[in-house]
Amino acid sequence: MSDHYLKVKCQLEQMKTVGGDAERHGVATEEHLPQSSPPDPCSIPTSGREAPSTPSTSKHRGKIRSKQGKDDKSSCGKDSTEVPLHRSVVSARVGQNLNGQEHERSLHLKETGKMLQGKSETNGNCVTIHASKHIQENPREDGFKVARRSRPVTVDTSKAKTSLEALKLSIKQLKWKEYPLGRRAACDIHWHGISFHDNESIVSGQVNKFPGMIEMLRKVNLSRAMRTVQELFPEEYDFYPRSWILPEEYEQFSTQIRMVKENDATVNPTFIVKPDGGSQGDGIYLIRGPSDPKLTACSQAKQGVVQEYIQKPLLIDKLKFDIRLYVLIKSLEPLEIYIAKEGLTRFCTEPYQEPNQKNMSHVYMHLTNYSLNIHSGNFVHSDSQSTGSKRTLSSVLYRLAAKGVDIKRVWSDIIALVIKTVIAVVPELKVYYQADIPPGKPGPTCFQILGFDILLMKNLKPVLLEVNSNPSMRIEHEMKVSPGVFEFVPSPVDEEVKVCVIRDTLRLMDPGHKKLPVSQPRAGGCEDKEEIQMEAETQERSPEDGALPSLCLKQVYPKYTKQFNSLRLMERVASLFIRFLGVKGNMRLGPTAFRTFIRTCKLSNSNFTMASVDILYIDITRRWSGTVPDSREAGMGLQAFVEAFFFMAGRRFKSLLLREQVGSLLELCEAQLESQMAVDDRRSVSCSRALPRSVRSQTLAQPHLGSPAPVRRATSQDCRPHHRLKPRTLRANVET
Ligand code: ADP
């Protein structure tokens, strides 16, 4: 019997006991609710709510548990639904036979290939929960091959900061080599605690941060990026609450809310104000509307976001909670996204009520931040993953499944939310990337783990709260040891989740893995929505040495490409923008480059003269330079370019929807560039006819896979200097 199985079995018993404890304390268990109809998910009582525990009490409880576990063998009942899913979210299938008397459930333990099966009857008599035969794992399709290595993969951990402990454990499990003080020779992987720029001298290998990610995911920038895609695809991006940027959109906010209230006087919305760049709930407060004195005092001073407050979140134990999901962006070009199958849920510590004048300032009721709630007297530290103020996502989903909630639907909505959000921020990330690692310049390739904070609404719809570029990878938590004194102690829940995420990220980034022709995204031009699977059916790969569990990260993109590809419109706009940036390392278009873009794409005409183009450039650029306080360079940034592009698209294709206008203008520009390139190619061939074939093909070669820079083929400008060069100079350049 494997350790893993023993652990799971032990947890099953613990869970049963916790349910038993709850019963003894008179707390309702889920099974007291009717099973036949979907329960009100907003008020699922728990069996796991406990009094705050100290380490000693939890030890004590451990003893009680094991005893109770024995008892459960004969009389386990209602509580047996509380089986935690260990390490794998969601392979829980809770079936009911037609008369509703019996549930069959099976837990697919992915790392062992075993199935735990259980039957319980609604009358409370437990039948059995036992480990059954191995389940046939799906064949590998991940396209990885482990190349023979003569030396272990090297990891520079000198900048890892708070993720160090989890990283060390991961490296140890992989039997890789850690360089805690860095290394003069290049390492294969450089693990940075904060930013791509933590170490400026890296020119090869891989870094676990993308340039620009911090900037892109600040609250204001994320809101801007989401706003743009919401304008294009309002139905697809309705998972992000309506937001206004402060102080610049205060008037807009004011007007819109006034209009809403004029239309319907019964509407009584609440808003949440968040300072830009804030984290851990710092500086966040709720308001009733634009005239709230708190807002008017702050709105002029600080940049931030005011956002529609979700008033009806899903509750468990009457508490609000949110989900922390770990997402790996493995590469920008081609875009590859993985989601960790296990995540965390963070609970408030004061029972939730919809906002009213009395409770608006109760942070323990409205904010789920761990860093805030840890200071509440009601915070529950628990050794179990399915009780307490921080739990695994799987344990929460399992409870919902046991209540009859369609968690497959919830999970697939969450995956869609993640993919769409990444699609929204990728265009600007590509601009940052090419500025820091221009094509042709030596540099590392990048990957990054992001932390998605997601709230489930009462109707189970997931809502994106924010994306963290530096999700905490600490595997210890703060514990109050005496009044006012906190100490860091190991946190089993954090370790369980985070070490797997880091370790499996490393495995995916292992430079020894040669990529074979990847199983292509499912082909076909069908517009139908493809069902997003809960299970990573194809991405599991067996461990190279048999000792490691299968991956906890599931590829979701390009796996589910079909239904999301049409959303990648802004990347095409960004590609145009990058193409005309000209100088390497630049992030802004100058007026001449903007004119070149207009001319090359033949966008000016008698109705839109070059003089109007100049005015458009000046007008938009001036406005944007006022709204982006940290703009380092003068000129037109991507967001301003997007505004100009939308404006031109609107003028030219008046009768269409915005996304069709933008799509049509893009096609027009791309067609012009294609024909321009064809001409340039012909010229380039003729002007390099004397060159050896190998050199000719090099000039048109694709950049390496990790680089997000668009393929820069020779443009007319690239070729022109060749014409001007004297033959001898040309030859000299080529040899260099
Ligand atoms: P921070 O980076 O400071 O943690 P968040 O955007 O994550 O800021 O917000 C902090 C907390 O506030 C969230 O964890 C969540 O509990 C709550 N929250 C944030 N936005 C909303 C919203 N729109 N509706 C309801 N609750 C929200």
Side-chain angles (χ1 to χ4, degrees):
M1 203 185 287
S2 74
D3 284 354
H4 176 75
Y5 173 56
L6 279 174
K7 205 169 163 190
V8 172
K9 193 157 180 273
C10 168
Q11 282 188 335
L12 285 170
E13 289 182 353
Q14 284 178 356
M15 291 307 302
K16 287 181 231 161
T17 316
V18 172
D21 286 348
E23 266 188 303
R24 277 196 301 281
H25 293 112
V27 181
T29 61
E30 289 163 9
E31 269 57 33
H32 293 146
L33 293 170
Q35 290 288 330
S36 50
S37 59
D40 176 3
C42 197
S43 58
I44 297 166
T46 184
S47 54
R49 184 129 167 74
E50 298 163 61
S53 67
T54 60
S56 59
T57 56
S58 67
K59 259 187 212 155
H60 176 63
R61 209 170 45 231
K63 278 184 194 158
I64 296 174
R65 271 183 198 144
S66 56
K67 182 175 179 296
Q68 183 73 20
K70 277 184 201 160
D71 296 346
D72 285 343
K73 277 185 188 154
S74 54
S75 65
C76 61
K78 305 164 182 179
D79 37 330
S80 64
T81 56
E82 280 270 7
V83 181
L85 275 182
H86 181 68
R87 289 202 189 189
S88 62
V89 166
V90 261
S91 175
R93 275 172 298 178
V94 180
Q96 280 177 303
N97 65 7
L98 281 177
N99 64 18
Q101 290 298 300
E102 184 180 80
H103 310 289
E104 260 194 27
R105 53 184 61 82
S106 57
L107 288 182
H108 181 170
L109 301 179
K110 295 228 201 100
E111 289 156 26
T112 59
K114 289 190 173 81
M115 173 95 98
L116 286 184
Q117 290 180 323
K119 273 187 177 180
S120 69
E121 292 168 17
T122 45
N123 64 9
N125 291 331
C126 171
V127 182
T128 47
I129 290 187
H130 61 269
S132 84
K133 58 212 164 275
H134 282 254
I135 292 169
Q136 189 69 42
E137 290 282 357
N138 285 305
R140 287 176 53 169
E141 277 180 31
D142 59 355
F144 281 95
K145 184 174 90 176
V146 181
R148 284 243 168 95
R149 271 203 301 268
S150 53
R151 62 168 182 84
V153 180
T154 54
V155 186
D156 173 358
T157 61
S158 60
K159 308 281 180 196
K161 297 208 159 59
T162 54
S163 48
L164 188 61
E165 285 309 310
L167 182 61
K168 275 179 182 293
L169 283 174
S170 304
I171 294 171
K172 202 168 160 200
Q173 288 180 17
L174 293 168
K175 301 192 176 76
W176 288 7
K177 180 133 182 63
E178 181 196 354
Y179 284 86
L181 302 174
R183 188 192 189 200
R184 193 168 291 189
C187 278
D188 297 309
I189 294 177
H190 301 262
W191 198 272
H192 290 184
I194 298 175
S195 129
F196 175 78
H197 296 286
D198 285 356
N199 182 352
E200 299 282 4
S201 59
I202 299 165
V203 290
S204 65
Q206 306 181 71
V207 175
N208 70 320
K209 304 281 179 205
F210 281 98
M213 190 68 92
I214 295 182
E215 291 81 351
M216 240 350 269
L217 296 182
R218 285 170 75 104
K219 293 180 171 61
V220 164
N221 280 340
L222 179 67
S223 293
R224 278 196 220 285
M226 296 305 282
R227 166 96 50 88
T228 306
V229 285
Q230 280 177 331
E231 280 172 25
L232 291 168
F233 307 102
E235 308 85 27
E236 298 283 350
Y237 282 92
D238 64 353
F239 58 83
Y240 189 67
R242 236 177 330 158
S243 308
W244 296 262
I245 289 154
L246 297 174
E248 68 196 65
E249 292 175 356
Y250 176 78
E251 285 308 322
Q252 225 170 306
F253 170 53
S254 224
T255 315
Q256 286 180 8
I257 301 310
R258 198 178 53 242
M259 279 163 58
V260 168
K261 286 191 170 170
E262 276 168 12
N263 273 347
D264 182 355
T266 61
V267 176
N268 195 14
T270 304
F271 302 91
I272 183 164
V273 184
K274 314 180 189 182
D276 192 33
S279 63
Q280 306 189 331
D282 273 355
I284 291 186
Y285 55 91
L286 303 189
I287 55 166
R288 275 287 182 208
S291 53
D292 192 300
K294 255 184 171 176
L295 179 66
T296 40
C298 298
S299 64
Q300 305 306 323
K302 274 192 193 159
Q303 266 234 319
V305 169
V306 55
Q307 190 172 74
E308 191 184 348
Y309 185 73
I310 306 300
Q311 304 210 38
K312 294 185 191 305
L314 180 70
L315 305 181
I316 290 184
D317 305 339
K318 303 197 177 95
L319 298 172
K320 177 174 170 178
F321 68 97
D322 78 348
I323 297 170
R324 161 57 58 86
L325 201 67
Y326 297 95
V327 171
L328 168 69
I329 302 191
K330 185 168 179 271
S331 140
L332 283 187
E333 185 77 44
L335 184 58
E336 274 188 71
I337 309 169
Y338 288 74
I339 295 187
K341 286 179 258 171
E342 183 60 287
L344 294 169
T345 49
R346 288 93 44 106
F347 283 71
C348 278
T349 43
E350 186 181 331
Y352 184 78
Q353 289 166 5
E354 285 193 30
N356 59 40
Q357 276 315 329
K358 280 194 189 142
N359 69 32
M360 296 270 280
S361 57
H362 292 204
V363 288
Y364 299 144
M365 176 188 287
H366 293 292
L367 307 188
T368 49
N369 298 79
Y370 160 79
S371 51
L372 293 174
N373 284 283
I374 184 91
H375 297 289
S376 148
N378 293 333
F379 191 92
V380 181
H381 288 282
S382 171
D383 294 343
S384 157
Q385 299 179 351
S386 51
T387 59
S389 299
K390 198 191 258 190
R391 309 179 193 176
T392 55
L393 172 58
S394 55
S395 72
V396 166
L397 288 179
Y398 194 90
R399 285 186 56 167
L400 297 178
K403 287 300 309 146
V405 167
D406 182 359
I407 52 165
K408 208 171 157 187
R409 173 87 250 154
V410 173
W411 185 238
S412 105
D413 287 348
I414 288 177
I415 291 179
L417 174 153
V418 167
I419 296 174
K420 290 173 186 175
T421 306
V422 174
I423 285 176
V425 298
V426 158
E428 191 121 19
L429 279 178
K430 287 187 169 180
V431 176
Y432 278 101
Y433 198 110
Q434 63 79 41
D436 270 299
I437 314 172
K441 189 187 146 194
T445 52
C446 304
F447 61 94
Q448 187 152 357
I449 298 169
L450 303 175
F452 275 66
D453 291 349
I454 295 167
L455 192 71
L456 287 181
M457 286 169 53
K458 185 178 176 181
N459 63 7
L460 297 167
K461 186 179 160 55
V463 169
L464 177 70
L465 298 179
E466 71 158 349
V467 189
N468 288 276
S469 56
N470 282 315
S472 164
M473 285 294 169
R474 259 187 202 283
I475 51 175
E476 313 93 26
H477 59 199
E478 278 180 84
M479 174 93 90
K480 197 175 190 175
V481 285
S482 56
V485 181
F486 286 82
E487 239 176 39
F488 280 105
V489 296
S491 163
V493 177
D494 287 284
E495 183 173 330
E496 178 69 28
V497 175
K498 295 174 184 175
V499 173
C500 292
V501 171
I502 293 188
R503 182 198 62 218
D504 291 350
T505 295
L506 290 174
R507 286 163 78 188
L508 283 168
M509 303 315 299
D510 180 347
H513 281 134
K514 288 227 177 85
K515 209 145 196 203
L516 298 173
V518 181
S519 52
Q520 283 306 309
R522 290 166 197 181
C526 161
E527 287 298 302
D528 293 345
K529 285 212 165 179
E530 177 184 11
E531 194 188 348
I532 296 177
Q533 302 294 323
M534 265 174 94
E535 291 299 320
E537 345 142 288
T538 58
Q539 288 302 317
E540 310 276 323
R541 65 198 163 92
S542 41
E544 18 187 295
D545 59 3
L548 294 168
S550 55
L551 287 175
C552 76
L553 294 162
K554 168 190 164 76
Q555 193 198 68
V556 294
Y557 198 91
K559 185 174 159 78
Y560 304 117
T561 301
K562 208 166 52 185
Q563 70 206 62
F564 301 105
N565 259 356
S566 61
L567 305 178
R568 298 180 68 180
L569 216 50
M570 293 311 299
E571 272 177 77
R572 288 164 64 194
V573 178
S575 291
L576 277 181
F577 176 78
I578 292 170
R579 175 186 283 271
F580 288 94
L581 276 177
V583 182
K584 281 182 180 175
N586 209 355
M587 289 183 62
R588 285 167 192 271
L589 279 187
T592 314
F594 188 66
R595 283 175 137 247
T596 309
F597 154 65
I598 298 285
R599 279 218 188 88
T600 315
C601 294
K602 300 196 172 21
L603 296 182
S604 66
N605 53 34
S606 53
N607 285 331
F608 188 52
T609 61
M610 286 315 278
S612 329
V613 168
D614 289 340
I615 293 170
L616 179 70
Y617 177 88
I618 293 168
D619 183 31
I620 292 184
T621 307
R622 201 173 275 163
R623 208 144 31 75
W624 276 93
S625 65
T627 59
V628 188
D630 56 351
S631 58
R632 284 161 286 168
E633 312 156 23
M636 179 181 258
L638 177 66
Q639 289 164 348
F641 180 76
V642 166
E643 189 182 324
F645 198 85
F646 281 17
F647 171 79
M648 291 184 287
R651 271 179 70 117
R652 202 174 262 253
F653 304 100
K654 284 197 180 71
S655 57
L656 302 180
L657 291 174
L658 178 64
R659 63 167 165 266
E660 294 163 348
Q661 293 173 342
V662 172
S664 304
L665 192 64
L666 273 168
E667 273 168 28
L668 205 143
C669 295
E670 286 161 354
Q672 287 300 337
L673 290 168
E674 271 295 308
S675 62
Q676 183 75 46
M677 274 193 309
V679 172
D680 293 339
D681 281 356
R682 278 201 296 279
R683 266 197 228 158
S684 164
V685 168
S686 69
C687 71
S688 61
R689 201 168 283 147
L691 306 181
R693 181 184 293 231
S694 58
V695 177
R696 254 186 278 158
S697 56
Q698 251 176 30
T699 58
L700 298 178
Q702 304 259 345
H704 63 97
L705 268 178
S707 161
V711 181
R712 285 206 190 175
R713 303 178 69 187
T715 64
S716 56
Q717 286 144 311
D718 294 334
C719 189
R720 241 177 278 133
H722 288 241
H723 284 299
R724 285 202 297 270
L725 290 170
K726 290 178 191 147
R728 216 161 5 123
T729 326
L730 172 64
R731 193 169 297 262
N733 277 353
V734 171
E735 281 163 7
T736 305

